[in-house]
Amino acid sequence: MIVEASAPGKVILFGEHSVVYKGSAIVLAINKRARVFAEKRNDDRIFMDSEDLGYSGFFIGDEYHPVKGAPWRGRSLTAVNLVSRKTMEKLGVQSGLNLKLRSEIPSAVGLGSSAAICVATAAAIDGLFEGKLSREEICALAYEGEKVIHGRPSGVDNNVSTFGGVLKYEGGVGFEKIILDESPCFVIGNTKQKRSTGRMVQIVSELRQRNQSIVDEIIETLGSISETGLSYLLKHDYKHLGELMDICHGLLTSLGVSTPMLDKLVHASRESGAMGAKLTGAGGGGCMIALVDEERMAAVEEAIRIAGGSPMRVDVSYEGVKTRRVD
Ligand code: MEV
């Protein structure tokens, strides 16, 4: 039996970094998904085929054995190994596994690809053993993997990937599902510069150690922008929503998480008609997001391309994690 589970990536509209300090964030699941196909093995190996990324190998316990690609590649698969073992532990089963990992979400650019893989891993294994884990339990198992990858993540990524849709997430508290009766159009601009979320969180934390009250005010403002931004989103007031995205980009830049390339894509989008644009996710490379009228969409995409980025239209996906038997 093979079970496939898939889970969506995400974009943060408001509140990145602030949510690490218990502020609010508005986050959207997107129509790009990661997929994990799980099958039992007769030995105790957890074999991972992540050939899209150019490497594959297996774990015996915590030890990685490469089959394709350098041994250090195993580091990025450690989280999947941990989630697999913890999921089986939770289900009270023990088995070797073949896991095929596939993703439409570009990795390490702030779109939640690692969380989506961790969520899909827990769900696929749950499905394989005909377990009955709740979405909350799957989300918690994925968070264990997220901690391995990012250090001290807020949990926003694994939550939105599990539950889908639009969430107002408060670090340390949980989330509220937001229902939009109209979805605005967004274009993502990928700088194609990979970066580590954990490292970017550390940069903000170090800046805060040197300038605590100033950084605290910026973080607090970023959180309150999420609240105001949500009210504009619900009222379809995209002019003001865009303005807040611009302010947000400025504040994130002041925290040291923008880059010249992110700034270039943000300005190129605004100059070609976006109503607002900001970096999204941890920054330091990765992606920006622009709020765009349907008529300006092609112009903004072209401007991002000319500025050296890779544009991608995204829609909100209301479908969280889902599982199906393949054979
Ligand atoms: C998450 O994608 C981006 C950050 O807010 C970190 C986190 O929430 O863990 C920067």
Side-chain angles (χ1 to χ4, degrees):
M1 169 160 87
I2 299 177
V3 171
E4 174 192 352
S6 72
K10 65 91 180 49
V11 280
I12 296 183
L13 186 55
F14 294 115
E16 49 274 273
H17 290 288
S18 176
V19 72
V20 174
Y21 298 88
K22 317 265 182 261
S24 306
I26 307 299
V27 55
L28 322 172
I30 56 173
N31 57 338
K32 303 277 169 210
R33 301 180 76 85
R35 283 168 215 286
V36 173
F37 300 82
E39 177 184 33
K40 290 178 199 168
R41 288 176 64 100
N42 291 328
D43 55 21
D44 59 356
R45 294 177 176 187
I46 299 190
F47 184 88
M48 291 172 209
D49 155 11
S50 58
E51 289 217 337
D52 284 0
L53 297 170
Y55 49 90
S56 294
F58 59 89
F59 285 83
I60 299 178
D62 291 337
E63 210 174 291
Y64 181 64
H65 300 261
V67 173
K68 186 172 173 204
W72 63 267
R73 288 295 201 173
R75 246 183 282 150
S76 59
L77 297 175
T78 306
V80 180
N81 185 47
L82 181 90
V83 172
S84 306
R85 293 190 188 280
K86 286 207 174 272
T87 305
M88 287 194 283
E89 199 178 294
K90 180 113 194 143
L91 294 167
V93 296
Q94 223 179 352
S95 173
L97 297 170
N98 283 328
L99 299 176
K100 192 160 88 176
L101 316 177
R102 295 290 180 268
S103 184
E104 307 160 356
I105 312 162
S107 65
V109 290
L111 301 180
S113 66
S114 62
I117 285 281
C118 288
V119 168
T121 298
I125 297 170
D126 179 50
L128 189 62
F129 292 97
E130 295 174 41
K132 296 266 179 300
L133 295 182
S134 64
R135 284 186 157 198
E136 285 73 14
E137 287 169 316
I138 285 171
C139 185
L141 287 161
Y143 185 62
E144 295 300 315
E146 281 286 273
K147 283 195 283 192
V148 173
I149 301 167
H150 302 306
R152 197 173 59 93
S154 64
V156 66
D157 291 15
N158 47 295
N159 270 282
V160 73
S161 185
T162 304
F163 296 96
V166 180
L167 305 185
K168 178 182 165 198
Y169 187 83
E170 274 178 68
V173 179
F175 67 83
E176 184 188 326
K177 261 201 164 200
I178 308 295
I179 306 295
L180 299 182
D181 51 15
E182 176 185 296
S183 280
C185 304
F186 294 107
V187 176
I188 286 174
N190 185 351
T191 64
K192 296 170 276 181
Q193 295 165 333
K194 297 196 178 207
R195 81 293 167 282
S196 142
T197 297
R199 175 77 194 119
M200 299 317 295
V201 169
Q202 190 189 343
I203 285 173
V204 174
S205 157
E206 285 167 6
L207 185 71
R208 182 170 178 260
Q209 276 160 28
R210 295 190 297 273
N211 309 277
Q212 186 159 351
S213 61
I214 297 168
V215 170
D216 278 350
E217 276 186 41
I218 296 169
I219 284 171
E220 208 170 297
T221 308
L222 284 167
S224 71
I225 288 178
S226 299
E227 309 274 343
T228 316
L230 177 60
S231 70
Y232 291 142
L233 187 63
L234 291 168
K235 282 191 281 194
H236 315 146
D237 183 347
Y238 301 139
K239 181 174 177 294
H240 285 115
L241 187 71
E243 212 163 68
L244 287 188
M245 289 171 73
D246 292 346
I247 293 173
C248 205
H249 184 73
L251 291 172
L252 288 165
T253 304
S254 74
L255 293 181
V257 298
S258 192
T259 62
M261 189 59 178
L262 278 167
D263 290 342
K264 196 171 168 192
L265 300 191
V266 161
H267 289 286
S269 305
R270 289 180 193 156
E271 277 155 26
S272 58
M275 289 176 278
K278 61 178 276 290
L279 71 86
T280 182
C287 293
M288 48 72 65
I289 177 172
L291 174 67
V292 189
D293 258 342
E294 187 65 54
E295 313 86 75
R296 303 298 305 162
M297 196 59 106
V300 172
E301 285 180 289
E302 184 58 9
I304 289 174
R305 205 172 287 116
I306 290 170
S310 168
M312 185 164 85
R313 281 184 197 208
V314 289
D315 289 319
V316 176
S317 166
Y318 285 90
E319 206 163 45
V321 62
K322 63 175 187 183
T323 307
R324 72 184 179 110
R325 201 178 146 156
V326 181
D327 66 339

